[in-house]
Amino acid sequence: MQLHGRVIMIFAPSVLPYLHPWPRPLLCRLLAEFWPNGCAASCRRLSTPKSVIGQDSVQVLDHSYPRDDFTNVTPKILEKVGRNLHNQSHHPLWLIKERIKAHFYSSYVGRWGTPLFSVHDNLSPVVTTEQNFDSLLIPPGHPSRKRGDNYYLNRTTMLRAHTSAHQRELVRSGLDAFLLAGDVYRRDEIDASHYPVFHQMEGVRLFSNHELFSRVQNGGELSLFERRGRRTPEKQETHTLEAVKLVEFDLKRTLTQLVSHLFGADLEIRWVDCYFPFTHPSFEMEVRFQGDWMEVLGCGVMEQELTNVFPVSFKTFRSAALGLYGLCPLRLTFSEDLGDILTEQIVNYCLFVQPLSKYPPLHNDISFWLPDSREGFTENDFYELVRSIGGDLVEKVSLLDDFTHPKSGRRSQCYRIIYRHMERTLTQQEVRLVHQQIEHAAESELGVQGRY
């Protein structure tokens, strides 16, 4: 039997740069300095195929999917599908993506002087649950599959929760090295560092025995795989320790060079051991930011079992997934007024800037008794309801109190909703109208009983 497989590194940082909310006139003036023809071409928006939630089906990107009891995608989320901000010229995400591409193009060159990595940034965000979970060895019943954490079109189809959902299909197609970028979707809490839509960019590379050990003394005597090995904290049972240590070194060096390229060579970095269901060993990168350590990415060596479905018999595999969102409020990136006219000079200036609106926030509290049958209620359900009504006026939702009545056993929760507009001062009157809609919808859609 021929041992075969791949080693993968996956990292999904949560702190890559956001853009400062520069006034549009200033942006156009700066743009005129760098693009003499003006901003008309840069300000054009790409048309988005219409998405519709019908009674029996959901139409997304010109395809129709039957609804069932798992369908939970909302119109607000479907508005984001197909916008492809990472492909809109001069948009902040496009600029970051292009910077990463340029780094890989210049740092990793093939035998004939051409870029080693191909780029794939237009794959549909609609995937099967098999692609999103099973292809990565995420077992049935795993918490990451929960309906409350993902956007499902139906039980077998969803909006991808990570770009890694496409790894298997691309490797099966015969690609040895590629970069993959796209929008991903997750139901989550509401604050400045969370948004239901964000972007990832990941890279994959296949190594042969010769490619991995060619620069190692006596490398011809070393091997990627071993028979009848045993799993340890340092390696999987089918990998040799020499191969894993070399891939780990290459993985960390590659990611350190990339992050230093994006944020500066003086960035303080450290590595922490961690766990992911589809990698072993696994690591997280943290960077020092404003006096604290902040997680930037996760990575690791892919489980050998994943490689057994690939037609690769003499190579080992690595990949990387880079999140394109970070320090500033995520909702800024989808602002209609942000447009796609930010220059790279502005992006450079805004790295590691954490801007907040200069306009004051307003907060309103909401408390309610949970329904007697609480199995169907999750905090993410409430967050999603708030997001669908308040949209990007909502800056943060936080749980203030979780109370269980000592006699009746009924459970009550109280949330604080912070509203803030990025371009003007909100009035308490207009905020109250939105807040009342949330109160009424919570009772009618979630079955809670208001305490207001």
Side-chain angles (χ1 to χ4, degrees):
M1 179 182 69
Q2 175 66 53
L3 283 174
H4 63 282
R6 68 179 184 176
V7 178
I8 182 173
M9 60 181 187
I10 299 179
F11 65 97
S14 57
V15 297
L16 285 185
Y18 274 98
L19 284 301
H20 197 84
W22 292 80
R24 193 177 182 89
L26 172 61
L27 285 173
C28 287
R29 187 171 74 248
L30 288 171
L31 188 69
E33 296 179 10
F34 299 110
W35 283 274
N37 293 331
C39 65
S42 297
C43 292
R44 287 198 297 266
R45 298 188 180 279
L46 301 178
S47 60
T48 303
K50 189 175 182 180
S51 297
V52 179
I53 301 178
Q55 184 175 356
D56 300 316
S57 64
V58 179
Q59 183 173 331
V60 186
L61 301 178
D62 297 327
H63 288 81
S64 183
Y65 303 89
R67 294 188 59 171
D68 60 22
D69 60 323
F70 244 59
T71 305
N72 67 352
V73 67
T74 65
K76 285 284 187 182
I77 294 301
L78 290 183
E79 288 176 2
K80 314 296 186 186
V81 178
R83 291 190 59 184
N84 296 323
L85 302 181
H86 59 289
N87 288 334
Q88 293 188 20
S89 181
H90 306 307
H91 188 279
L93 291 172
W94 177 86
L95 290 170
I96 299 170
K97 182 192 71 173
E98 292 300 309
R99 177 179 292 180
I100 296 171
K101 282 171 52 180
H103 173 75
F104 274 89
Y105 279 1
S106 62
S107 301
Y108 304 95
V109 180
R111 179 180 301 178
W112 309 110
T114 57
L116 187 64
F117 289 82
S118 59
V119 178
H120 307 266
D121 55 11
N122 59 356
L123 298 176
S124 172
V126 179
V127 299
T128 65
T129 53
E130 196 277 337
Q131 287 175 286
N132 199 79
F133 300 118
D134 299 272
S135 72
L136 296 171
L137 294 183
I138 300 175
H142 192 274
S144 64
R145 291 179 178 255
K146 289 190 302 183
R147 182 174 179 269
D149 291 344
N150 300 284
Y151 289 104
Y152 285 93
L153 306 183
N154 52 45
R155 280 188 172 270
T156 61
T157 315
M158 63 187 297
L159 299 179
R160 63 189 171 206
H162 42 215
T163 51
S164 301
H166 301 287
Q167 282 185 1
R168 182 175 65 181
E169 63 192 87
L170 293 176
V171 172
R172 272 182 167 173
S173 71
L175 295 174
D176 274 10
F178 59 86
L179 299 175
L180 169 62
D183 43 329
V184 298
Y185 301 78
R186 298 180 191 173
R187 299 178 91 218
D188 213 331
E189 57 192 293
I190 301 176
D191 58 30
S193 61
H194 292 83
Y195 199 74
V197 191
F198 58 102
H199 290 70
Q200 286 184 334
M201 188 169 185
E202 64 184 75
V204 170
R205 183 178 178 185
L206 288 164
F207 292 94
S208 67
N209 210 83
H210 171 74
E211 289 168 334
L212 189 61
F213 295 116
S214 60
R215 297 184 180 182
V216 178
Q217 186 176 6
N218 300 322
E221 302 174 5
L222 301 176
S223 175
L224 297 172
F225 309 105
E226 66 179 354
R227 299 179 186 276
R228 296 182 293 277
R230 66 184 184 90
R231 179 175 290 245
T232 70
E234 290 79 26
K235 67 178 226 40
Q236 299 172 37
E237 53 271 29
T238 54
H239 299 151
T240 65
L241 184 60
E242 295 84 3
V244 172
K245 287 302 181 182
L246 191 56
V247 170
E248 177 186 332
F249 172 79
D250 185 81
L251 160 65
K252 292 180 177 179
R253 180 181 60 180
T254 298
L255 301 184
T256 299
Q257 290 176 345
L258 174 61
V259 173
S260 298
H261 171 72
L262 293 173
F263 298 123
D266 58 345
L267 189 67
E268 190 176 355
I269 295 172
R270 74 178 183 184
W271 292 95
V272 179
D273 293 342
C274 66
Y275 166 79
F276 299 114
F278 41 85
T279 59
H280 179 77
S282 304
F283 315 96
E284 288 177 345
M285 176 193 283
E286 296 180 348
V287 301
R288 178 75 77 172
F289 177 66
Q290 294 184 344
D292 294 320
W293 287 104
M294 179 180 293
E295 177 190 341
V296 178
L297 57 89
C299 62
V301 178
M302 177 171 275
E303 287 288 346
Q304 177 64 26
E305 183 181 345
L306 285 173
T307 71
N308 294 339
V309 298
F310 301 136
V312 180
S313 56
F314 299 104
K315 293 193 175 184
T316 188
F317 177 80
R318 76 167 192 186
S319 82
L322 175 63
L324 296 184
Y325 279 139
L327 298 176
C328 305
L330 296 185
R331 58 199 175 110
L332 290 182
T333 315
F334 279 89
S335 170
E336 292 294 333
D337 295 313
L338 181 62
D340 41 4
I341 59 174
L342 293 179
T343 72
E344 185 167 2
Q345 285 77 6
I346 295 176
V347 173
N348 287 335
Y349 181 82
C350 294
L351 291 180
F352 274 144
V353 173
Q354 188 174 10
L356 292 175
S357 171
K358 66 180 181 180
Y359 300 99
L362 294 174
H363 74 264
N364 284 254
D365 296 344
I366 178 173
S367 60
F368 44 73
W369 294 106
L370 300 187
D372 293 334
S373 177
R374 295 193 293 267
E375 291 78 8
F377 177 89
T378 67
E379 290 183 17
N380 277 352
D381 292 333
F382 179 67
Y383 296 145
E384 194 61 37
L385 181 143
V386 172
R387 184 180 286 119
S388 66
I389 296 174
D392 289 341
L393 287 182
V394 177
E395 180 175 277
K396 184 177 182 180
V397 179
S398 55
L399 179 64
L400 292 184
D401 183 59
D402 193 331
F403 166 75
T404 300
H405 195 281
K407 293 184 178 180
S408 67
R410 297 187 70 187
R411 184 179 170 193
S412 170
Q413 289 184 339
C414 178
Y415 293 86
R416 171 158 294 175
I417 304 177
I418 297 179
Y419 301 86
R420 190 202 300 258
H421 203 287
M422 299 306 300
E423 297 161 356
R424 63 180 177 84
T425 299
L426 292 172
T427 67
Q428 188 61 252
Q429 182 178 6
E430 62 182 320
V431 165
R432 184 58 192 161
L433 292 176
V434 175
H435 199 74
Q436 287 176 339
Q437 294 181 49
I438 294 173
E439 292 174 339
H440 297 154
E443 292 187 332
S444 61
E445 298 180 24
L446 301 181
V448 303
Q449 181 182 348
R451 300 183 64 190
Y452 29 83

